[in-house]
Amino acid sequence: MVVFVESVPVVTYFIGTSRWCKEVVETYQLDRAPVFEEHPLKRGSFPWRRWRMLCVVTVIALVGRCGSV
């Protein structure tokens, strides 16, 4: 449960920083190249994070089910 709860801020951080960077670049008319360079990194790591969160939820569900027997 702790790992699942700690994963939520990581996902929120990635979403928030991405939006913040985009707004700063638009506001100050900065070069957009660094913003576009980070997209493949985030997109590549998201499936791994999603599977890890689903694994944690599955383990919690199985332990909860076995523990109540």
Side-chain angles (χ1 to χ4, degrees), residues 7-21 38-39 41-43 45-46 49 52:
S7 322
V8 173
V10 171
V11 172
T12 306
Y13 173 77
F14 274 120
I15 293 170
T17 54
S18 179
R19 182 68 190 150
W20 176 76
C21 288
E38 51 105 13
H39 283 292
L41 176 65
K42 287 183 181 180
R43 293 195 196 290
S45 67
F46 187 77
R49 288 179 293 173
R52 284 184 279 177

Side-chain angles (χ1 to χ4, degrees), residues 11-34:
V11 172
T12 306
Y13 173 77
F14 274 120
I15 293 170
T17 54
S18 179
R19 182 68 190 150
W20 176 76
C21 288
K22 185 178 176 183
E23 288 179 6
V24 169
V25 167
E26 289 173 357
T27 302
Y28 296 106
Q29 289 97 25
L30 301 174
D31 183 26
R32 293 180 181 215

Side-chain angles (χ1 to χ4, degrees), residues 48-62:
W48 292 102
R49 288 179 293 173
R50 180 181 58 215
W51 282 112
R52 284 184 279 177
M53 287 191 290
L54 289 174
C55 287
V56 169
V57 169
T58 303
V59 168
I60 290 169
L62 291 174

